[in-house]
Amino acid sequence: MLVNNTVFDKKAIIKYLISTFLIAWILQIVVAVFNWNGLALVSQLITALMMFTPLLGVILSGQSLSGMGWKPLLKGKAKILLIAWFLPAVLTAVGAVLYFIVFPSHFDLSGEYLAATAGNEVLEQMEEQGLTYPLLILASVVSCVTYGPLFNMFMAMGEEVGWRGFLYPQLKAKFGKRKGLIFGGVIWGIWHWPLMWLIGYEYGKDYVGFPVVGMLIFCVFTIATGILCDWLYEKSGCIWIPSLFHGAINAIAGITLALCITNTGSAILLGPAPIGIIAGLPNIVIAAILFFKSGKQKE
């Protein structure tokens, strides 16, 4: 188990936040410009590279990357490893079911989502090859549960080093565990805000209260997810474990959208992806349990 013996360093925190946010927000503006000009592939690549700005922020703030648990210590950690790898898929599935129970008319296996995102010709070519849409979804789920989390782990590591490896221990050392977790989650959410405003990242733009409502709801997601990632990091003492969990979320979350009709309006704030309030309930509930349980520990 990772023990937080961090001594709060105000100057390091300021340097970290300035560098991390400045670089990331500049990149987000660049992403928006490319996106507006129809260069979606380039914007996606830059968005992926942006995930390494928290890691870069740690370096630019003059902090050492050692001591974050780089060596995978798997002995006696099988349970934590399995949780990090497969829990996101379970929580996402439960959340999606909850959403479609509330909005049954939104469930769709016709391929409307694929047609809207990739074009009707892709759907037609797939059908010509004898591949049905439900079979495509099944294959996607298998890949997102097996090797998807491992592949995405290396990208998510760029964020986890900055958030869980550096920022969260600092905030917990200064404000106590509970407040540190809340502040850390809010900061993590705000880090995404320019993209949410400029191109409708995560929720689109067709919802009530754009973009403020989406920004606030996304912070609920980052607070809850941050609590889960931090718990995994403390239990494992290895930065790769929360990175695996983070990567697993990124791998599976989009599948739920492929099962939903497009243009659901403000319902996108509720699901079916785990960033929505209804679909995110499983994450929120478990995070709340861990959060209040942490209150029994010495701050």
Side-chain angles (χ1 to χ4, degrees), residues 101-121:
I101 288 176
V102 178
F103 298 100
S105 62
H106 289 184
F107 186 73
D108 180 75
L109 279 176
S110 69
E112 178 183 332
Y113 176 81
L114 181 62
T117 55
N120 285 313
E121 61 276 6

Side-chain angles (χ1 to χ4, degrees), residues 40 45 97 129 145 178:
L45 176 60
V97 169
Q129 296 173 1
V145 172
R178 281 188 175 182

